Amino acid sequence: MTTLINKIPSKSLFAAGEVALVGAGPGDPELLTIKALRFIEQAEVAVYDRLVSNEIMALLPDDCERIYVGKKQADHRLPQEGINEVLVEQAKLGKKVLRLKGGDPFIFGRGGEEALHILDNGVSCHVAPGMTAASSCAAYAGIPLTHRGVAQGCSFITGHLQSDGNLDLPWTALSVDTQTVVFYMGINTLSTIKDELIKHGRSADTPAAIIEKGTRPEQRTIRGTLTTLPDIVTEHNIKPPALIIIGKVIDQFDEAHLDNTGYFKALEA
Ligand code: SAH
């Protein structure tokens, strides 16, 4: 395997004083990209948050400095500016700065904001995409996000409240029966999500699932319907990170085939 990786030419070379915004994926280290691995290998300082799994942190070089800038959802207001400044400061010290982020840096990861700030301060950066929670958690849970004749499209939506305290989303578009909708950061606003979708015409019986700690050894997938989603959170004591998937794609595979690792077991005929 190592030899195979060496056959892939590397374009991922860090210069001193640069930042790499690297997607670490949802948790399982096997979902890291080769590009991510190459940046991890070269890092002199790693700026990381809560969603980066311990197994991935363990891959950092021993002498790589680690700076935690994580934030719990409750203190989401912890200034992003602080993180931006740390990145620029470290780069200006001439270090190779690895900004490790859960999932993909450009999908609800504020990677765009960080890259803009870094560039504004005269520092160059690399961006390495990562496996986002939606596609990876869905695959491990046995849910094809699109499926011919069932779902023609899929939306990734944030359930996090806007700064004015509202959840102002294109509910009519999200209520189309043949659309899969994936909510990131939606656990706290789940009742509103359910009510609005039903109000805008989505059937209350639409299959739905919550995936907790996706792709990690503790992954739990709990299936229900749009109506039962809020009860799932309380009955199963769902904790972050958790992802919500709504749509008929949820039920394509019999749960007897599935084990939350992306392995689909054939049953005796
Ligand atoms: N950039 C990340 C998303 C960060 S937003 C990505 O591309 O995946 C944080 C939200 O992502 C969480 O609230 C949760 O909804 C989701 N999430 C991230 N990792 C997850 C995981 N391992 N399991 C379930 N949900 C996850």
Side-chain angles (χ1 to χ4, degrees):
M1 194 56 132
T2 331
T3 33
L4 259 190
I5 290 176
N6 292 338
K7 283 188 187 168
I8 303 171
S10 181
K11 297 186 284 278
S12 311
L13 280 180
F14 238 144
E18 283 182 348
V19 177
L21 299 176
V22 173
D28 182 347
E30 278 201 290
L31 295 178
L32 280 168
T33 64
I34 294 165
K35 200 177 180 82
L37 277 179
R38 285 181 169 152
F39 280 118
I40 288 173
E41 210 169 34
Q42 299 167 67
E44 292 170 345
V45 52
V47 181
Y48 68 102
D49 41 58
R50 205 167 50 102
L51 284 175
V52 179
S53 68
N54 295 338
E55 289 97 323
I56 290 174
M57 289 304 294
L59 299 173
L60 289 167
D62 289 344
D63 55 355
C64 173
E65 196 185 324
R66 291 150 171 80
I67 302 179
Y68 178 71
V69 292
K71 44 195 174 186
K72 295 212 171 109
Q73 201 172 25
D75 13 275
H76 210 49
R77 283 155 291 133
L78 184 141
Q80 177 67 38
E81 299 81 53
I83 301 176
N84 293 348
E85 277 161 26
V86 170
L87 295 174
V88 171
E89 243 169 56
Q90 293 294 317
K92 295 235 156 141
L93 292 172
K95 296 187 199 162
K96 295 177 179 169
V97 186
L98 176 76
R99 173 64 173 122
L100 253 193
K101 290 175 154 300
D104 183 283
F106 280 178
I107 298 182
F108 306 125
R110 299 198 169 194
E113 290 170 48
E114 292 180 8
L116 283 170
H117 181 85
I118 291 165
L119 289 173
D120 279 350
N121 283 276
V123 172
S124 304
C125 70
H126 306 257
V127 178
M131 290 285 298
T132 193
S135 51
S136 20
C137 296
Y140 278 40
I143 301 167
L145 288 179
T146 67
H147 198 64
R148 197 144 57 102
V150 178
Q152 294 149 342
C154 174
S155 308
F156 296 174
I157 308 285
T158 171
H160 194 69
L161 292 177
Q162 280 117 330
S163 45
D164 60 2
N166 288 320
L167 193 59
D168 189 13
L169 295 172
W171 295 113
T172 307
L174 300 179
S175 300
V176 174
D177 191 44
T178 51
Q179 286 290 311
T180 305
V181 187
V182 181
F183 279 97
Y184 288 67
M185 298 169 279
I187 295 300
N188 296 331
T189 49
L190 200 44
S191 289
T192 310
I193 292 171
K194 175 201 79 157
D195 290 345
E196 291 290 340
L197 289 175
I198 294 175
K199 192 165 106 193
H200 287 81
R202 194 117 200 190
S203 160
D205 298 333
T206 306
I210 298 182
I211 304 171
E212 181 193 61
K213 300 191 176 62
T215 81
R216 300 174 187 221
E218 332 72 279
Q219 172 166 340
R220 287 197 293 166
T221 306
I222 296 147
R223 288 168 160 80
T225 64
L226 190 49
T227 313
T228 63
L229 271 178
D231 300 335
I232 292 179
V233 175
T234 39
E235 274 166 30
H236 296 266
N237 192 23
I238 298 289
K239 298 273 181 251
L243 197 75
I244 301 152
I245 308 183
I246 298 165
K248 286 186 292 188
V249 291
I250 305 286
D251 286 346
Q252 297 308 307
F253 290 89
D254 185 328
E255 279 190 68
H257 292 291
L258 309 172
D259 73 351
N260 277 319
T261 67
Y263 180 64
F264 292 63
K265 189 174 170 44
L267 304 174
E268 305 215 351

